[in-house]
Amino acid sequence: MKNLAASRSSFSQVISILGLMCVVVQFSVNAEPWQGKSVADALHLGEEGRDLTVPLPLPVGKSIAVPVVQEYKAVSVEHGPSPNSLSEFSLLSLQNHPRMKVARASVEEARGEAVQARLYPNPTLAGSSPQLSGADSQWNGFVSQEFVTAGKLKLSQQAALRGVQRVEYKLIRARYEVLTGVRRAFYHLLVAQRKLVIFKQLYDISNRSYRLGEELAIAGEGTKADTLFWSIERDRAEVRLLNATVDIETGRRELATAIGLPMADVGNIDGDLFQVLPNFDLKQLQRIVIARNADPRAAQSDIARAQWELERSVVEPIPNVTVMGGYQRQVSPVGLVGVPEQDQGVLEISCTIPLFDRNQGNIRAARAEISKARAGLRSVEIGLVDQTAKVINEYRQARRQAEWYQELILPKARETVRVTQLLYAEGELTFLRLLEAQRILTETELSYVQSQGTRWTAATEIANLLQLEDFPLTMVTP
């Protein structure tokens, strides 16, 4: 019984000493100079990635708390809003589109990984008894702690922070791609609205021509072929009118989907389809796109991350030091007089020896990753230059075509109608000729509106490349 009581007392002492050792080890870890700063020292990135520069070789800046990703309350899809301007649609898309929510969550995920990369290893607490009871029973307890050397945690976090930068730039990219989708759908619907008005006029002209042809045929002044011709024209106009209404309904659903609210109520929208847009110098625009677009900056973050990972690979062979300290209680054998119980301390220090594996392969791979990231940056820049050239080509052609219709073709078509009206009033032309002139004018206006639609589609792509917050483009747009 005395041995059992002594064993329990010894076990309690071991537990108390182990707890004290854990506290001492924790204080020693927290007192390390590399733990003096916040784990988010380099998280200076705003949620939209504004004013980001190429990462420097060493971290700079004051410690700030890790920003929390902003949450947005989605508008109910059961009873959606009823916006009618481009600015309203744009605001709703940024608040509700799932792609924006995914991009924001990805930023928060990357920030969490950066925090985790700097966390220190936890200590290990262990207790055992080589001989649980009887003579010469022993009780012991140990605390071990791995001490990370050569600033490995700091280097790992710096590499992770470059990953945060990259995801921040991807958030910017997602933002403008969502806005581009909204702008494209908005002007597609605006063109559809205008085309519906033109198709109504065209159907009215075709219907009047058909009825007049019937009357002339009954009076013996026209032929059945003329009546069939105008009947075909009327049927064609009616089909185009019906298709225009379907196009508007589809455009409304596409616009509602573009803002992330498929059930939103979209009615007639307000916009200036004929607004004057600026012209661009191709080479200057290509330089500005490379300077402003987030894709090259994301590629620069890849280069910086690869550089930090190389530094991390270089110090990997430097061994970490594991220190283990413990206490052991030796109980005296039963029946032996004069043999005291023994209190023993245990200390062990260990580390690996980089004799064979000095991380040679990973260092070589990290150097190749830097070269790969630099080539990736060049590929991104070339891709943006090529994309800009193609978009500008489409924009210039549509802009020139729209100007041609506005300045030359439409005035001639309107003058033709005016002259035809005068000749019809003087009895020199038939009413069918007047209706034909009006139909040609309407078809010309339709082609003009279609060219405007192509112009706006290209303009939205230019704004996407430049990543412009303000749209439509103005004459001061770079």
Side-chain angles (χ1 to χ4, degrees), residues 39-40 43 66 110-119 157 160-161 164:
V39 296
L43 289 178
V66 179
R111 288 172 176 169
E113 292 174 354
V115 171
Q116 186 66 34
R118 185 67 180 268
L119 298 182
Q157 190 188 48
L161 288 173
V164 174

Side-chain angles (χ1 to χ4, degrees), residues 123-248:
T124 301
L125 175 65
S128 65
S129 175
Q131 184 171 331
L132 186 61
S133 62
D136 296 329
S137 61
Q138 298 174 341
W139 301 84
N140 55 48
F142 303 94
V143 175
S144 64
Q145 174 66 52
E146 180 184 8
F147 292 91
V148 182
T149 61
K152 295 173 185 175
L153 296 179
K154 183 178 180 180
L155 293 173
S156 296
Q157 190 188 48
Q158 289 302 317
L161 288 173
R162 303 292 83 75
V164 174
Q165 278 190 328
R166 175 177 176 80
V167 179
E168 288 272 359
Y169 289 129
K170 291 301 180 182
L171 173 60
I172 298 176
R173 188 65 184 153
R175 175 187 181 88
Y176 288 106
E177 287 182 353
V178 168
L179 289 176
T180 300
V182 173
R183 293 163 181 172
R184 189 185 300 115
F186 181 87
Y187 282 97
H188 173 77
L189 180 56
L190 196 62
V191 169
Q193 288 183 176
R194 180 60 183 172
K195 288 168 69 174
L196 179 62
V197 175
I198 296 175
F199 283 134
K200 286 180 179 179
Q201 296 174 355
L202 188 60
Y203 175 76
D204 182 62
I205 293 173
S206 300
N207 192 41
R208 291 164 61 190
S209 301
Y210 170 71
R211 286 184 296 181
L212 180 59
E214 275 192 329
E215 293 175 359
L216 292 176
I218 294 173
E221 299 180 4
T223 65
K224 185 177 181 179
D226 293 335
T227 305
L228 291 174
F229 170 78
W230 289 112
S231 176
I232 293 172
E233 288 296 314
R234 184 192 64 175
D235 293 341
R236 289 178 57 195
E238 184 176 5
V239 170
R240 296 171 76 178
L241 178 60
L242 293 175
N243 287 340
T245 60
V246 174
D247 195 21
I248 285 184

Side-chain angles (χ1 to χ4, degrees), residues 268-411:
N268 289 331
I269 58 176
D270 297 330
D272 185 4
L273 185 62
F274 308 104
Q275 177 177 334
V276 178
L277 297 177
N279 198 3
F280 296 95
D281 178 75
L282 177 55
K283 290 186 177 180
Q284 181 183 4
L285 183 64
Q286 288 173 331
R287 287 192 293 266
I288 296 175
V289 166
I290 292 177
R292 296 186 60 162
N293 197 282
D295 288 349
R297 289 182 284 175
Q300 290 170 349
S301 297
D302 287 339
I303 296 175
R305 179 170 187 167
Q307 291 171 340
W308 282 109
E309 289 178 344
L310 174 61
E311 294 292 331
R312 178 63 179 83
S313 299
V314 169
V315 300
E316 178 64 25
I318 301 176
N320 296 336
V321 178
T322 301
V323 178
M324 183 186 70
Y327 167 80
Q328 180 168 284
R329 178 75 172 177
Q330 175 83 32
V331 180
S332 299
V334 178
L336 293 181
V337 181
V339 179
E341 297 183 348
Q342 299 180 11
D343 294 322
Q344 300 173 348
V346 179
L347 177 64
E348 177 182 289
I349 300 176
S350 63
C351 65
T352 60
I353 300 176
L355 182 60
F356 306 109
D357 180 5
R358 295 185 297 277
N359 210 34
Q360 304 96 314
N362 289 334
I363 293 174
R364 182 175 179 179
R367 290 197 179 103
E369 187 65 25
I370 294 177
S371 301
K372 180 181 175 181
R374 287 172 177 167
L377 171 60
R378 185 59 178 164
S379 298
V380 169
E381 292 176 343
I382 293 175
L384 286 175
V385 168
D386 181 64
Q387 187 177 357
T388 303
K390 293 178 180 178
V391 171
I392 281 295
N393 176 59
E394 183 179 355
Y395 175 76
R396 284 176 174 175
Q397 290 186 9
R399 185 171 180 267
R400 183 176 295 111
Q401 184 176 3
E403 291 175 352
W404 200 269
Y405 271 102
Q406 183 178 0
E407 297 174 4
L408 297 176
I409 301 177
L410 274 175

